[in-house]
Amino acid sequence: MEVQITSENFETLKNGQLPLVVDFWATWCGPCRMVGPVISELAKDYDGRIVVGKCDVEENEELAVEFGIRNIPTILFFKGGQIVDKVVGAQSKAKLEEKFNSLL
């Protein structure tokens, strides 16, 4: 299940026991709407093993700025509180699944 990522909960999730995947998106972004259902599906598939969150760049601009998000969707992969991978733009489920598996 996906969680909403905000400035208030980000640090706690990033530094939690489980790896974290953050989908930076916006409601008006076409490619974001394409990749959104894939992220939701992967969130269910990896529930209990990886925390998957969505971060609306318009509501959490400071997080987007902190990570230099210039294009969306951008998906960041965290392990041990550090960024270990990043993908920009709409990706296939197979490509994203590969990235998820590398976090485990």
Side-chain angles (χ1 to χ4, degrees), residues 9 13 24 30 46 51 60 62 69 71 77 80 92 95 101:
N9 69 3
L13 292 169
F24 287 88
Y46 288 83
V51 175
N60 299 283
E62 61 284 347
I69 306 298
N71 299 303
F77 299 83
S92 69
K95 175 80 169 183
N101 284 327

Side-chain angles (χ1 to χ4, degrees), residues 2-33:
E2 296 164 303
V3 295
Q4 289 301 112
I5 303 285
T6 64
S7 299
E8 289 76 35
N9 69 3
F10 174 73
E11 285 297 321
T12 302
L13 292 169
K14 180 182 83 163
N15 295 311
Q17 295 287 343
L18 298 176
L20 173 66
V21 174
V22 182
D23 175 17
F24 287 88
W25 71 291
T27 54
W28 48 263
C29 168
C32 298
R33 289 196 304 269

Side-chain angles (χ1 to χ4, degrees), residues 75-90:
I75 303 167
L76 299 181
F77 299 83
F78 294 86
K79 190 169 188 173
Q82 302 295 314
I83 295 176
V84 295
D85 208 346
K86 171 183 178 175
V87 293
V88 179

